[in-house]
């Protein structure tokens, strides 16, 4: 098992399977009257967030608390980064306070790897620019396994703003390693040119993608990163690529709708569809805590899952 979690590109199928298996074990822990185990007692984890987050940040913090770790939260705003302190100095000063693990989100791809070069702490990538968001990829796969049993041979379409999406990249690596068939769908301007080398189907028409797929993982249109007219108007995008109940009704099969959040309701995903029986969006969020417990536990290097989760039974 890799020491750090930098991306699913660098994980073997077996590593991914063991993180998912541990995720399901920790989900059982979370269903107990006291959803807490002493697995990481004595370990200190720093959540180093340079970019905004709701789901990832809160679920990592909850996961740490459920594992009895000591947790510290860092935000770039309000820290000495705003006075010009470098990333290297920031992490080395935090490490001097004796920590074990760092969960990092940063707007620049490669920052988690950079941190592995200047600290001895274990680094978990919570999203680095356009590169990867490995725990999101894992919790998405966990949610599909929970609902459908397996992702082997499952046809998953990732819809929308692939160009700016670290979630898409982690899903592609993870799903393909577990034998799923992956397709991308969106306007040509939002699908990177190298996508043809990723072993994926590509659709430029949402109706064709819906006919092909069994799962639609709908991505947020990253409006804050759209500065160069990559699509004409929001209205046209919603009309052509927005996922709606009416478009799903054109096919005679059950489709599972996913979204990593936050959702632009009415843009990439119809408002009511997000809350419909097709949607597993809140299951993804629920599974995020158990899955992140699994990652923290496995990367911490403490005993076996069975020992870890049975201590408080
Ligand atoms: N899915 C996701 O990364 O959401 P947040 O940005 O709220 O963490």
């Amino acid at each position: 098992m890799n020491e750090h979690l930098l991306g699913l590109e660098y994980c073997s199928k077996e590593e991914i399977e063991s993180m998912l298996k541990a995720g399901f074990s920790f989900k059982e822990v979370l269903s107990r009257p006291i959803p807490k185990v002493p697995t990481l007692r004595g370990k200190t984890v720093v959540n180093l967030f340079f970019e905004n987050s709701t789901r990832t940040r809160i679920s990592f913090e909850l996961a740490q608390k459920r594992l009895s770790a000591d947790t510290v939260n860092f935000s770039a705003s309000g820290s000495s980064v705003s006075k010009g302190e470098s990333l290297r100095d920031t992490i080395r000063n935090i490490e001097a306070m004796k920590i074990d693990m760092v969960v990092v989100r940063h707007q620049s791809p490669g920052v988690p790897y950079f941190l592995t070069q200047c600290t001895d702490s274990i680094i978990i990538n919570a999203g680095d620019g356009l590169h990867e968001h490995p725990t999101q990829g894992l919790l998405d796969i966990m949610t599909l396994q929970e609902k459908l049993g397996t992702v082997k041979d499952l046809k998953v379409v990732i819809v929308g703003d692939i160009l700016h999406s670290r979630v898409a990249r982690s899903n592609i690596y993870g799903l393909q390693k577990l034998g799923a068939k992956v397709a991308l769908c969106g306007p040509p301007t939002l699908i990177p040119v190298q996508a043809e080398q990723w072993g994926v189907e590509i659709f430029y028409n949402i109706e064709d993608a819906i006919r092909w797929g069994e799962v639609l993982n709908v991505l947020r249109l990253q409006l804050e990163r759209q500065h160069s007219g990559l699509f004409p108007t929001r209205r046209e995008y919603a009309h052509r690529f927005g996922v709606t109940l009416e478009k799903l009704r054109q096919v005679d099969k059950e489709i599972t709708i996913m979204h990593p959040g936050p959702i632009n309701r009415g843009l990439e995903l119809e408002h009511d569809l997000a809350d419909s029986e097709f949607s597993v969006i809140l299951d993804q969020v629920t599974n995020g805590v158990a899955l992140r417990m699994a990652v923290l536990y496995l990367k911490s290097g403490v005993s076996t899952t069975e020992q870890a989760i049975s201590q408080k039974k």
Side-chain angles (χ1 to χ4, degrees):
M1 167 99 42
N2 285 311
E3 189 184 5
H4 310 282
L5 180 61
L6 302 183
L8 297 189
E9 182 179 7
Y10 322 110
C11 294
S12 66
K13 177 176 184 252
E14 291 70 30
E15 279 177 276
I16 291 172
E17 284 173 339
S18 77
M19 289 186 278
L20 292 164
K21 183 165 177 248
F24 283 109
S25 299
F26 282 115
K27 187 152 185 183
E28 186 276 314
V29 169
L30 294 176
S31 69
R32 296 179 191 167
I34 300 174
K36 190 160 179 161
V37 283
T39 312
L40 294 191
R41 195 157 54 197
K43 300 276 184 192
T44 303
V45 188
V46 177
N47 298 311
L48 200 63
F49 277 67
F50 291 85
E51 231 188 27
N52 295 340
S53 168
T54 298
R55 282 146 289 267
T56 312
R57 182 175 184 148
I58 291 178
S59 63
F60 261 118
E61 192 178 345
L62 262 179
Q64 292 148 14
K65 290 187 192 307
R66 302 297 190 223
L67 291 168
S68 306
D70 294 318
T71 69
V72 182
N73 292 317
F74 167 99
S75 296
S77 61
S79 76
S80 291
V81 169
S82 60
K83 299 179 199 163
E85 188 165 36
S86 72
L87 186 56
R88 183 173 181 279
D89 283 342
T90 300
I91 191 66
R92 284 175 61 80
N93 277 271
I94 292 173
E95 188 173 45
M97 298 180 218
K98 308 295 177 205
I99 60 163
D100 299 290
M101 303 177 89
V102 175
V103 174
V104 60
R105 169 171 286 194
H106 200 283
Q107 58 276 16
S108 298
V111 161
Y113 171 75
F114 174 76
L115 295 186
T116 67
Q117 303 302 295
C118 46
T119 139
D120 292 329
S121 300
I122 293 159
I123 306 296
I124 310 288
N125 181 1
D128 61 331
L130 311 185
H131 175 223
E132 277 221 41
H133 191 349
T135 55
Q136 181 70 47
L138 289 168
L139 73 88
D140 289 347
I141 296 170
M142 180 179 171
T143 305
L144 288 174
Q145 287 182 330
E146 185 176 58
K147 181 173 180 196
L148 304 169
T150 177
V151 296
K152 186 159 181 352
D153 295 325
L154 188 68
K155 291 178 169 175
V156 181
V157 188
I158 304 173
V159 184
D161 188 356
I162 318 292
L163 185 67
H164 298 107
S165 179
R166 53 197 177 208
V167 174
R169 284 163 182 76
S170 290
N171 264 272
I172 292 166
Y173 293 127
L175 284 165
Q176 287 183 335
K177 284 179 188 185
L178 298 190
K181 298 183 171 76
V182 182
L184 308 178
C185 175
T189 47
L190 292 180
I191 296 186
V193 280
Q194 69 268 30
E196 288 177 1
Q197 290 145 34
W198 292 345
V200 293
E201 297 268 345
I202 298 180
F203 295 102
Y204 299 112
N205 176 306
I206 188 69
E207 286 80 9
D208 290 344
I210 290 171
R211 270 192 290 278
W212 182 87
E214 298 164 274
V215 176
L216 300 183
N217 194 345
V218 185
L219 300 176
R220 181 172 73 90
L221 199 53
Q222 299 198 28
L223 299 166
E224 72 279 17
R225 300 193 214 262
Q226 314 273 355
H227 303 298
S228 51
L230 294 171
F231 58 91
T233 64
R234 292 184 193 196
R235 194 169 160 178
E236 182 172 329
Y237 183 88
H239 176 68
R240 292 205 48 208
F241 292 98
V243 177
T244 63
L245 208 45
E246 192 187 330
K247 288 174 186 165
L248 295 189
R249 286 208 183 102
Q250 302 304 311
V251 294
D252 186 21
K253 61 181 173 184
E254 191 176 319
I255 300 228
T256 300
I257 300 294
M258 311 180 80
H259 194 301
I263 306 170
N264 295 307
R265 285 179 185 251
L267 182 51
E268 69 262 4
L269 187 59
E270 188 178 32
H271 191 290
D272 291 345
L273 186 53
D275 307 315
S276 71
E277 73 273 16
F278 297 102
S279 167
V280 292
I281 294 170
L282 290 181
D283 300 310
Q284 292 172 259
V285 178
T286 301
N287 288 335
V289 179
L291 186 281
R292 288 175 173 125
M293 288 172 79
V295 167
L296 290 162
Y297 155 66
L298 286 169
K299 295 299 174 186
S300 72
V302 301
S303 61
T304 68
T305 309
E306 287 71 25
Q307 286 167 339
I309 66 173
S310 63
Q311 286 175 61
K312 270 272 172 164
K313 262 189 171 170

